């Protein structure tokens, strides 16, 4: 059985007061579920979020981190800093980090290795752009992006969650159809089977992200290779996020 996860990536949204309000609502309304429920507020609110959710099943993730242990990296946050405040999970490779902040596979590989060495779980994001899909290159692009995790030692895989987020579906209101999501998730397992092994491919949790909303979540989550979702916009509203949790 693979673990099921619904994670909310809050991106650069919510002040501290707004974070406290939303977390209070979420903690009060989170349903009894086998799925893991994770929220990823912005860095400055992580410590307060961990404290506020101490008695809740809801976990807290970071949205990014630096690969170095410490040092002269102005404005950056290390794995140890996250662990020190009680964070167990970090999102790496989000398409906004790739496209807006120039993060490539070489850099992401360093980040993923550091995160896992330090004991963090990684939600590793990847996904093709619209032109890749239009030109039929989407499988090739995704397989290339996955090389970052194919290089990991076998023992690392239990600390990896994959999140397929087609760039054309992020924040656009245009979601991949459930069949498109299933097709890609099945392809990802096939690629892991050939590059790593079948046991890893069968066990790894693969989330879908990109315009998941209360009205489409259930159909997407019903697909056999989709183990949950990474939610952007809809994770900023308690009722929407909880409806998506219930859909899983
Ligand atoms: P939306 O759900 O707003 O499309 O964002 C998805 C996403 O980028 C989650 O990481």
């Amino acid at each position: 059985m693979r673990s099921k996860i619904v994670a909310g990536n809050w991106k650069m949204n919510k002040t501290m007061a707004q974070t406290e309000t939303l977390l209070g609502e979420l903690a009060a309304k989170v349903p009894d579920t086998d799925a893991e429920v994770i929220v990823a507020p912005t860095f400055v609110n992580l410590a307060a979020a961990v404290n506020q959710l101490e008695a809740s099943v809801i976990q807290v993730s970071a949205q990014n981190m630096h690969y170095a242990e410490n040092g002269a990296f102005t404005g950056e946050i290390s794995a140890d800093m996250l662990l020190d405040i009680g964070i167990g999970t970090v999102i790496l490779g989000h398409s906004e980090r790739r496209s807006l902040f120039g993060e490539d596979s070489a850099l992401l590989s360093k980040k993923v290795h550091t995160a896992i060495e330090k004991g963090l779980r990684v939600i590793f994001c990847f996904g093709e752009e619209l032109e890749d899909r239009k030109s039929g290159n989407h499988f090739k692009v995704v397989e290339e992006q996955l090389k970052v995790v194919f290089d990991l030692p076998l023992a690392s895989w239990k600390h990896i969650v994959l999140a397929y987020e087609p760039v054309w579906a992020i924040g656009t209101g245009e979601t991949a159809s459930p069949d498109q999501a299933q097709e890609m998730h099945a392809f990802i397992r096939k690629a892991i089977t050939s590059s790593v092994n079948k046991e890893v491919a069968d066990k790894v949790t693969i989330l879908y992200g990109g315009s998941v909303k209360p009205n489409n979540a259930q159909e997407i989550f019903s697909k056999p290779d989709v183990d949950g979702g990474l939610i952007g916009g809809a994770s900023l509203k308690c009722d929407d996020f909880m409806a998506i949790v219930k859909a899983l």
Side-chain angles (χ1 to χ4, degrees), residues 6-238:
V6 179
N9 175 10
W10 291 11
K11 308 189 180 182
M12 195 173 74
N13 292 293
K14 304 280 180 196
T15 62
M16 185 173 272
Q18 291 166 340
T19 299
E20 200 180 329
T21 302
L22 179 53
L23 292 179
E25 291 170 0
L26 293 172
K29 290 196 180 166
V30 64
D32 200 14
T33 166
D34 291 339
E36 286 184 55
V37 181
I38 302 175
V39 291
T42 185
F43 278 132
V44 291
N45 294 324
L46 287 178
V50 170
N51 288 338
Q52 193 180 342
L53 294 173
E54 205 181 349
S56 171
V57 295
I58 302 173
Q59 303 169 47
V60 183
S61 168
Q63 299 174 16
N64 183 27
M65 54 159 254
H66 196 268
Y67 61 81
E69 170 111 25
N70 54 42
F73 299 99
T74 301
E76 292 293 326
I77 308 283
S78 73
D80 283 337
M81 292 170 188
L82 297 176
L83 290 160
D84 187 47
I85 57 164
I87 298 290
T89 304
V90 61
I91 297 170
L92 292 176
H94 192 278
S95 73
E96 288 143 22
R97 298 297 319 169
R98 294 173 189 262
S99 67
L100 304 173
F101 302 96
E103 297 197 3
D104 59 10
S105 287
L107 179 78
L108 289 170
S109 177
K110 291 191 202 173
K111 290 190 178 201
V112 170
H113 276 86
T114 301
I116 289 177
E117 255 166 48
K118 289 288 181 179
L120 286 160
R121 173 171 60 169
V122 173
I123 299 179
F124 182 72
C125 307
F126 53 91
E128 82 282 1
E129 299 194 20
L130 188 57
E131 304 89 80
D132 303 322
R133 185 157 280 266
K134 280 190 176 155
S135 59
N137 271 339
H138 45 298
F139 294 118
K140 225 174 97 194
V141 167
V142 162
E143 193 164 18
E144 191 61 35
Q145 291 173 324
L146 282 170
K147 285 187 180 158
V148 168
V149 283
F150 289 164
D151 283 347
L152 291 170
L154 256 193
S156 300
W157 276 90
K158 56 178 179 295
H159 307 294
I160 289 283
V161 171
L162 299 177
Y164 168 59
E165 299 203 303
V167 178
W168 48 272
I170 295 178
T172 58
E174 185 180 347
T175 170
S177 71
D179 286 340
Q180 284 173 321
Q182 169 56 28
E183 184 186 36
M184 183 57 86
H185 285 219
F187 169 79
I188 293 162
R189 287 197 207 282
K190 215 174 81 194
I192 299 172
T193 302
S194 32
S195 289
V196 188
N197 66 45
K198 183 159 183 344
E199 196 191 342
V200 166
D202 286 342
K203 275 194 184 157
V204 70
T205 294
I206 310 180
L207 311 180
Y208 168 79
S211 296
V212 177
K213 307 288 176 199
N215 63 5
N216 60 24
Q218 196 157 15
E219 209 188 337
I220 296 170
F221 295 161
S222 71
K223 295 295 175 185
D225 287 301
V226 178
D227 305 313
L230 183 54
I231 320 300
S235 72
L236 298 171
K237 291 192 195 124
C238 177

